[in-house]
Amino acid sequence: MKRVAVVNDLSGLGRCSLTAALPVLSAMGLECCPLPTAVLSNQTGYDSFFCCDLTDSLDAYLAEWEKRGVRFDGVLTGYLASVRQARQIETLLDAFRTPQTVFVCDPVMGDDGRVYDTYDDTLCRAVMRLARRANVLTPNLSELCFLCGASYGELCALPGREAVLRRVESLARTLLSDTLHTVVVTGLRSGAEISSLLVTAAGGVCVTGPCYGGSYSGTGDLFAAVLTGELVRGTDAETAVRKAMRFLEASIADSFRAGTDRNDGVDFQTHLGMLL
């Protein structure tokens, strides 16, 4: 059975981070090996939460993995709380990655053109350094602009959807390298539709679906988990993106119809059969 190391926090409520990745990757027939960066009572979108930062424990955690000589077929990283955690992930890559390992980095830094309050310039630079070591990146539009040094405001002001997509593809293409072969820009909204733009050396492919209501907790985590699982299973990138989009579409539609609170995440559990 192939193994995927997932570096993220564990939230008791909110269906995001590790509680999203664990069931998704397991349903896909993969062993999900969590590296929990923090344990939270609930995700941070609620009006209050308890958080236990596990940074001080991660070095010992990784040392135990190293004793066992484990290697991973995939590595998936998400939200980071500190520069030290970014360095610990680099340690993981150095110790447990092989030439065949698929490293998917979700470069979580911000949204709506703004960097998250918990991020400073030093942490953003650490995420950017980590992103350069990835094979696949899954930034949202804001994060793409941060990674490329582009203006979010100017990008959003372009006339028409096609002009925006051309500019997004052009920016994403500047990130490609011998190591980083795939960029998937997520959450591109236009009217009643939402798209993901897949960019590789071969070109750009836009995958579009209906948009239901507002944003929900954990959708980016679910997308990245499905994408990672499919790539580790040997699926081509376009098929993997389409599968992740359809899975999210079904899950969000159910949540919208049920009136699920956005902080509770989406009702994805009944759709795990799509991933078998």
Side-chain angles (χ1 to χ4, degrees):
M1 182 176 290
K2 292 187 174 181
R3 286 174 165 160
V4 180
V6 182
V7 185
N8 218 324
D9 64 79
L10 177 65
S11 294
L13 297 172
R15 284 183 285 196
C16 64
S17 309
L18 285 174
T19 55
L22 274 161
V24 163
L25 292 169
S26 297
M28 298 177 80
L30 303 168
E31 181 182 354
C32 179
C33 303
L35 181 68
T37 56
V39 175
L40 292 87
S41 57
N42 44 270
Q43 60 96 357
T44 58
Y46 291 93
D47 57 5
S48 66
F49 60 92
F50 165 78
C51 177
C52 177
D53 188 337
L54 298 180
T55 303
D56 289 341
S57 303
L58 295 186
D59 290 334
Y61 193 109
L62 289 171
E64 292 299 320
W65 276 5
E66 192 163 11
K67 285 181 186 178
R68 283 146 187 82
V70 66
R71 293 294 181 267
F72 294 105
D73 302 284
V75 175
L76 170 60
T77 63
Y79 176 83
L80 301 180
S82 66
V83 173
R84 186 178 170 196
Q85 285 188 357
R87 291 176 182 144
Q88 288 166 325
I89 292 173
E90 295 206 54
T91 297
L92 182 154
L93 294 171
D94 292 339
F96 308 112
R97 188 182 189 182
T98 74
Q100 290 73 44
T101 302
V102 179
F103 174 25
V104 180
C105 174
D106 186 3
V108 181
M109 289 186 282
D111 206 354
D112 298 321
R114 297 188 299 274
V115 175
Y116 292 133
D117 292 340
T118 55
Y119 275 58
D120 58 17
D121 288 344
T122 304
L123 183 51
C124 285
R125 285 195 298 271
V127 173
M128 292 176 186
R129 185 173 63 249
L130 193 62
R132 286 194 290 270
R133 296 192 62 177
N135 304 119
V136 182
L137 286 183
T138 61
N140 61 31
L141 189 58
S142 299
E143 290 154 356
L144 176 70
C145 290
F146 302 152
L147 290 167
C148 298
S151 168
Y152 177 83
E154 290 178 7
L155 178 55
C156 293
L158 290 173
R161 178 175 181 269
E162 291 305 315
V164 171
L165 289 176
R166 284 196 299 272
R167 178 60 173 154
V168 169
E169 180 177 346
S170 176
L171 289 173
R173 194 169 296 284
T174 67
L175 298 173
L176 299 179
S177 67
D178 291 342
T179 301
L180 177 56
H181 53 68
T182 304
V183 177
V184 186
V185 186
T186 62
L188 300 171
R189 292 175 179 267
S190 178
E193 295 182 329
I194 189 165
S195 304
S196 291
L197 182 65
L198 166 68
V199 180
T200 66
V205 177
C206 189
V207 182
T208 300
C211 183
Y212 298 96
S215 62
Y216 289 87
S217 166
T219 51
D221 298 318
L222 288 167
F223 180 93
V226 176
L227 178 67
T228 301
E230 287 295 336
L231 294 175
V232 168
R233 293 202 296 192
T235 305
D236 67 273
E238 182 178 344
T239 302
V241 170
R242 292 188 183 281
K243 190 159 191 176
M245 287 286 285
R246 298 290 83 83
F247 176 70
L248 273 180
E249 179 184 323
S251 303
I252 294 171
D254 276 2
S255 306
F256 180 71
R257 286 191 290 264
T260 302
D261 187 284
R262 65 162 306 279
N263 285 320
D264 293 338
V266 294
D267 305 336
F268 70 87
Q269 290 90 336
T270 57
H271 297 287
L272 288 171
M274 295 173 66
L275 307 177
L276 297 176

